[in-house]
Amino acid sequence: MTPRDLDKVARNELKTLNKENGDEVARHLVMAARLIDEDPELAHRHAVSASRRAGRIAVVRETFAITAYSIGDYALALRELRTFRRISGSNEQLALMIDSERALGRPDRALETGRSVERSSLSVPTQVAVAIAMSGARLDLGQTDAALAELEIPQLDPVTAYSYSSELYDAYAEVLEELGQSTEAATWRARARRAEEAFAPEDDDVIEIVDEEYEVVDDADDADDTEDADDTEDADETDEEGGTDGPVRQED
């Protein structure tokens, strides 16, 4: 592991530090990224060390915030996310701010946070992440219909999927389930699984989901399925019958 293992954009941010300190901070950031899934506590300790050495660098505070969130210290995560936003001028971690407010038991403030930024100013993946977080806040407040509406964004495309689509489809399925629309929820979950399976790290950012006809065999307990949601009228006839999606074809 060397400082050059750090993302080039992040390395550029460290150029304001002297070489010895910059290299040490880079190593801590690399280790935080590598460990966050398998050992979030250790990842957080690396982020703390980086922050002590370079607390005025945006990527350092961003990493500190993300690792704090990963260990469940949501108050610290929110504080660090605000610091990151102030230093960088970026709102690309807005969804994590919303979820931190939710985790602190403040869904109303979560919604206020989400509404404070113009969505069109965000990257498309961040717009999707914000929609999912806002939907979760609506569910926290028992506003199920509004939670569904939060997810009905242009990226909720049943035909073309992107790297972020699996999470969006799953979130949509969860709200449909809450509304009692189990058949439609199962359809979106199937799409989510197919999108997830289709994306390997080396894949491009877009795939096409092609639905095929199939036969549905209902369980006895599911004989009285609820009706499909009105907002998916453009889905094909197969989808309306609540079946499993067909094969996924990746575009060139």
Side-chain angles (χ1 to χ4, degrees), residues 119 127-128 130-132 134-135 144-158 168-169 171-173 175-176 179 181 184 188 228-234:
R119 300 280 181 93
Q127 290 180 37
V128 172
V130 168
I132 294 171
M134 294 288 279
S135 178
T144 314
D145 289 330
L148 193 72
E150 293 282 0
L151 297 171
E152 290 170 344
I153 57 179
Q155 292 79 22
L156 188 71
D157 186 340
L168 179 59
Y169 295 167
Y172 196 63
V175 182
L176 287 170
L179 289 168
Q181 300 179 32
E184 186 70 8
W188 283 96
D228 293 339
D230 292 337
D231 52 16
T232 55
E233 291 177 355
D234 60 341

Side-chain angles (χ1 to χ4, degrees), residues 174-208:
E174 179 183 351
V175 182
L176 287 170
E177 195 73 57
E178 289 286 330
L179 289 168
Q181 300 179 32
S182 300
T183 301
E184 186 70 8
T187 298
W188 283 96
R189 286 199 183 94
R191 290 190 180 117
R193 298 290 74 77
R194 300 194 69 80
E196 184 177 31
E197 291 168 4
F199 277 99
E202 67 274 12
D203 286 338
D204 294 333
D205 281 344
V206 59
I207 58 176
E208 183 179 354

